[in-house]
Amino acid sequence: MDLREIEREIAQRAGVEAAVREVDGELVVTGMAQTNGERQAALDVAWELAEGRTVVDDIEVMSAVPERIRDLDLADAAPAGFPEVGPDWSDTEALEPGDFSDQEVLENPEGAAGPGYTAADEEYSEGEEAYVPPTDPVRTREGEFLGGFSTTAMDEVGPIRGDEALRDAILTELREDAATSGLDIDVQVYRGVVRLRGRVADSLDVEGVLGVVDRVPGIVEVIDELEVAGE
């Protein structure tokens, strides 16, 4: 029988893909089998079709676990005490939907597990603390509140038209913000371009003025000509 026909017979009858070659009148069967049983079945087919020639076993068994240890069959026991998975298997101790959905909703995120987060932990790319306009209320000497209960009074105001209207809005914001209410700032507006003049104590005052002016909608450009004492 042709060697290719022997290979086909081994594959069909033993389920082993093997290569058969003739060396010095012997049939060398090379391949891989999953079990010793498959290996023996392949050799039996080869002996049957060898036509008197000697069969050399070159089949490797790839099974990681032997089917038998001495005279003992290996049982299908669950490894390490875990239940084996089968068609009818189910986990009787799985979490029910209520295990998480009925948890109390936290109003304060600091109450959650793990380290708390505060704005002080935030790192700024430029290495400086970002300016946030204060919300301290500003009052006149007579005790009248001028504003300052919110970050800005311009939240609900649309773009302001006209240079005079822009100047009035800027002066109002500077007067009502606690960071700038005590500063003497000259404001000039021409075609939406704002020019700021005056003398302030330090660069923080400059940042405060620019931050307040920036809240006024409708400004085209701001020219900073503020002088810092000592510079």
Side-chain angles (χ1 to χ4, degrees):
M1 177 177 287
D2 182 78
L3 298 181
R4 297 293 175 265
E5 294 181 4
I6 297 176
E7 291 176 353
R8 286 194 293 270
E9 288 293 322
I10 292 175
Q12 293 176 1
R13 294 163 58 179
V16 176
E17 295 294 335
V20 180
R21 67 185 189 278
E22 186 171 356
V23 179
D24 297 332
E26 298 178 335
L27 292 184
V28 181
V29 182
T30 304
M32 293 184 180
Q34 295 295 323
T35 65
N36 285 325
E38 288 186 357
R39 169 180 164 273
Q40 189 58 52
L43 294 176
D44 290 343
V45 174
W47 277 107
E48 179 183 335
L49 304 176
E51 298 177 345
R53 290 169 289 187
T54 301
V55 175
V56 178
D57 177 14
D58 192 27
I59 298 177
E60 183 179 356
V61 179
M62 299 299 296
S63 176
V65 180
E67 293 181 324
R68 300 177 63 86
I69 297 180
R70 295 184 180 176
D71 295 329
L72 300 177
D73 291 331
L74 295 181
D76 295 329
F82 292 98
E84 60 274 23
V85 178
D88 299 325
W89 179 86
S90 62
D91 187 357
T92 58
E93 297 183 359
L95 294 174
E96 298 295 331
D99 290 341
F100 294 100
S101 60
D102 60 354
Q103 297 298 310
E104 180 182 356
V105 178
L106 291 176
E107 299 293 339
N108 183 1
E110 294 183 356
Y117 170 83
T118 63
D121 297 329
E122 186 71 29
E123 295 183 359
Y124 297 93
S125 59
E126 298 181 359
E128 298 180 358
E129 184 177 357
Y131 170 77
V132 177
T135 57
D136 300 333
V138 180
R139 295 186 297 181
T140 64
R141 292 182 178 179
E142 291 75 20
E144 178 187 0
F145 285 100
L146 297 179
F149 289 102
S150 61
T151 302
T152 174
M154 296 292 163
D155 290 337
E156 305 298 331
V157 178
I160 299 175
R161 308 296 182 185
D163 292 343
E164 287 298 324
L166 272 176
R167 182 174 183 274
D168 291 343
I170 293 171
L171 291 174
T172 298
E173 282 290 289
L174 291 172
R175 184 179 69 252
E176 293 186 355
D177 194 288
T180 56
S181 60
L183 302 178
D184 186 13
I185 305 298
D186 179 51
V187 179
Q188 299 296 328
V189 182
Y190 179 70
R191 292 186 177 181
V193 178
V194 179
R195 188 181 300 272
L196 302 174
R197 294 189 178 96
R199 189 174 181 83
V200 296
D202 50 38
S203 59
L204 291 178
D205 284 339
V206 176
E207 293 180 14
V209 171
L210 295 178
V212 171
V213 173
D214 188 58
R215 300 199 300 253
V216 179
I219 295 177
V220 175
E221 182 184 357
V222 177
I223 301 176
D224 174 19
E225 295 183 354
L226 296 172
E227 298 180 9
V228 178
E231 292 186 358

